[in-house]
Amino acid sequence: MKRYFAFYGERYYPLEGMDNFLGDYDTIEESLDEIINVHLREGNEKKYWGNNWYRVWDSIERVEILNEVDNKI
């Protein structure tokens, strides 16, 4: 299993979880690239997130390191 876990969802709901898991990645950049690719494949504009959200979790430090609130990509 790789260090960074990426999650993405089209709408916010309080019980987000493994259904929104995109995959595990070696770098933060790889995680963000996959999040952007999925976001664009869904027909969204890169700069418009609306109710969509993402998270990147560090499995070694066991902390969330990126999210759509703090880091709009």
Side-chain angles (χ1 to χ4, degrees):
M1 187 167 294
K2 298 178 183 177
R3 180 173 183 168
Y4 299 102
F5 299 168
F7 298 84
Y8 173 83
E10 295 180 9
R11 292 178 186 78
Y12 173 79
Y13 53 92
L15 298 175
E16 61 196 53
M18 291 308 290
D19 286 342
N20 302 110
F21 180 66
L22 298 180
D24 55 326
Y25 304 91
D26 290 319
T27 66
I28 296 168
E29 291 77 17
E30 288 176 332
S31 300
L32 290 175
D33 286 346
E34 181 61 15
I35 290 166
I36 290 170
N37 288 335
V38 170
H39 183 70
L40 295 176
R41 273 197 308 264
E42 298 292 325
N44 299 299
E45 295 177 31
K46 184 175 180 181
K47 293 184 179 182
Y48 180 72
W49 284 87
N51 291 327
N52 298 4
W53 57 271
Y54 68 90
R55 304 276 189 273
V56 177
W57 179 264
D58 183 329
S59 66
I60 293 174
E61 298 295 325
R62 296 184 177 203
V63 295
E64 178 182 273
I65 56 172
L66 293 175
N67 64 56
E68 84 287 351
V69 175
D70 299 329
N71 307 92
K72 289 290 185 188
I73 53 177

